[in-house]
Amino acid sequence: MQKSFKFLPLLFLILLISSCNDHTSTDRKETIEKPKNEVLVLGTIHGGHLTDSVYNTDYLERLIKEIQPDFILTEIPPSSFKEAMDGFKKNDSISESRVSRFPEYTDVVFPLSKEMDFEIIPTAGWSLSMARERSKKLRAISQDTSRTEDWAAYRNANRLSDSIYKATGKVNDPYFIHTNAYDSIQDIGLQTYNKLFNEELGLGGWENINIAHYWNIEKALEKHRYEGKRILITYGAGHKGWFLRELRKRDDIHLLELEPFLNAIEEK
């Protein structure tokens, strides 16, 4: 009997260590299994959705229904959102000037909010004063004889980007818009524009406005971190590449490709 008692402290120590290890494993498991949000970036063509034979508002409606988002992060400034939503709730129309120019919202997202369970989140960093200042500065640059070379480089880069895009034969093709190749073509013009004018355009510069947009997008991502939700980001397609480069740096989300959802609505 005395020999048995000698082993009791050792047995207790083993059980204690085992219990601690179990707790550590559980804690690690809980950390690993936090439900990451799924994020998709949908590149829009704004007014083109009203006229394109394929990538039109009906196509967008079917696509969003297929995606089934919990949140839609929009190219709508927070300062414009309340007026737009109030008008929509009152008479099913949107007169707010910034939002009314985007048929993806007036004809698709706002109407779908009546039948689908998602939240619209305004994330655009745009402001009217910024846009006016940008236009004024660009006009001055275009007329400045000391900036002739810069303006010519900017125009030539845009023409090159447009010509390569048209040569693909896939203009406004929703499949092509959601590829890295599309982003690379857009970057020909946009990166030249950014390199030449971003700093002097201030808040309206290409890099600067994307930073402002993405700051609001990140606020929404942080607010809903690890909720296991599906988040759809909808912006003009030119912004898509910039956003994807930043989103790929995050380890708290699953960044989804749009192609499976495009395939799904084609098959229906």
Side-chain angles (χ1 to χ4, degrees), residues 36-251:
K36 295 183 178 182
N37 291 323
E38 295 177 335
V39 177
L40 300 96
V41 182
L42 172 61
T44 64
I45 56 173
H46 300 325
H49 291 301
L50 295 175
T51 57
D52 194 79
S53 60
V54 176
Y55 200 21
N56 49 38
T57 54
D58 177 65
Y59 190 99
L60 270 181
E61 181 179 315
R62 290 185 288 123
L63 184 56
I64 292 174
K65 285 181 176 180
E66 187 65 35
I67 293 170
Q68 289 288 312
D70 296 293
F71 303 99
I72 300 184
L73 277 51
T74 60
E75 194 173 350
I76 298 172
S79 60
S80 302
F81 182 67
K82 185 179 185 303
E83 181 182 340
M85 181 56 81
D86 287 347
F88 179 73
K89 287 180 177 179
K90 183 177 181 180
N91 52 27
D92 285 345
S93 67
I94 297 171
S95 58
E96 200 285 326
S97 59
R98 179 62 180 177
V99 183
S100 63
R101 64 196 294 266
F102 291 151
E104 60 264 39
Y105 301 134
T106 60
D107 297 5
V108 182
V109 171
F110 277 79
L112 279 178
S113 68
K114 283 187 166 184
E115 58 182 278
M116 295 179 68
D117 186 22
F118 59 72
E119 179 184 346
I120 302 171
I121 302 177
T123 58
W126 179 94
S127 70
L128 182 58
S129 60
M130 176 273 290
R132 286 173 173 165
E133 185 67 15
R134 178 180 59 192
S135 296
K136 179 182 176 182
K137 289 180 178 179
L138 281 173
R139 187 164 53 252
I141 293 170
S142 71
Q143 296 169 356
D144 185 347
T145 55
S146 69
R147 305 294 299 278
T148 301
E149 287 188 11
D150 285 349
W151 192 252
Y154 161 61
R155 295 290 300 276
N156 289 337
N158 277 340
R159 281 193 285 265
L160 178 59
S161 181
D162 288 344
S163 65
I164 294 174
Y165 184 32
K166 290 175 183 176
T168 66
K170 298 177 181 179
V171 174
N172 291 345
D173 179 343
Y175 277 92
F176 186 64
I177 284 174
H178 295 93
T179 62
N180 292 332
Y182 174 87
D183 297 336
S184 296
I185 292 171
Q186 294 299 313
D187 271 350
I188 294 170
L190 291 171
Q191 291 306 320
T192 300
Y193 169 62
N194 186 63
K195 181 180 178 181
L196 291 170
F197 308 132
N198 182 66
E199 186 173 342
E200 64 188 290
L201 292 180
L203 295 177
W206 179 247
E207 184 81 4
N208 293 335
I209 189 59
N210 278 298
I211 289 170
H213 292 326
Y214 192 72
W215 187 74
N216 286 325
I217 289 170
E218 257 203 333
K219 280 202 301 183
L221 294 179
E222 290 298 324
K223 180 180 179 180
H224 299 288
R225 180 191 281 256
Y226 294 127
E227 291 183 359
K229 303 294 187 180
R230 180 168 288 172
I231 299 173
L232 178 63
I233 300 172
T234 58
Y235 268 73
H239 296 281
K240 181 172 65 68
W242 199 101
F243 292 159
L244 287 172
R245 285 189 285 271
E246 294 302 311
L247 290 166
R248 289 179 183 126
K249 298 174 185 177
R250 298 185 68 101
D251 60 5

